[in-house]
Amino acid sequence: MGADLQGVQMARANLKEAILRQVNLTEANLSEADLAGADLSASSLCSAKLARTDLSRANLAGADLRCANLVDAYLGRTNLENADLGEAILTRADLSTANLSGANLRGATLPDGRVG
């Protein structure tokens, strides 16, 4: 694992195109942040706050997003291949063009309110 940013408070931060591969962002607050085009592949975002965050075009392949709060997040063209979204809260999140190949959605609250 790369840098340890567990619990960091970065609400509304501009991290557009940031390279954050294999970073520990467990329990981080990234609500309303701009992570468009960021590379968060293989990072840990367990229990992270990502409500209303722009993750469009971001690379989250293999990321651990278990129990993350993604309410109203924008995930258009986001790569979530093999990501773990178990028990994540995706209420009203835009997943319409996201790559979810091999992603785990077990127990996740989906955009329409159903549980996966």
Side-chain angles (χ1 to χ4, degrees), residues 7 18-19 28 31 33 37-38 42 44 46 52 78-80 88 90 92 96 102 113 116:
I19 298 173
S31 296
S44 175
C46 288
R52 296 172 303 283
T78 300
N79 181 13
L80 290 159
L90 294 157
R92 295 182 309 276
S96 58

Side-chain angles (χ1 to χ4, degrees), residues 4-45:
D4 185 359
L5 298 175
Q6 182 171 350
V8 70
Q9 299 295 310
M10 293 177 49
R12 296 182 198 90
N14 181 355
L15 297 167
K16 195 173 194 171
E17 307 288 332
I19 298 173
L20 297 165
R21 282 187 290 260
Q22 299 181 336
V23 172
N24 180 11
L25 289 160
T26 300
E27 299 178 351
N29 183 359
L30 295 161
S31 296
E32 299 181 33
D34 185 352
L35 286 158
D39 186 354
L40 292 149
S41 56
S43 290
S44 175
L45 292 132

Side-chain angles (χ1 to χ4, degrees), residues 83-105:
D84 190 348
L85 291 149
E87 299 187 32
I89 303 168
L90 294 157
T91 308
R92 295 182 309 276
D94 182 353
L95 291 165
S96 58
T97 56
N99 175 6
L100 292 163
S101 301
N104 172 32
L105 292 163

Side-chain angles (χ1 to χ4, degrees), residues 53-67:
T53 297
D54 184 355
L55 289 156
S56 59
R57 301 178 334 279
N59 182 10
L60 288 153
D64 187 348
L65 291 146
R66 288 175 292 142
C67 301

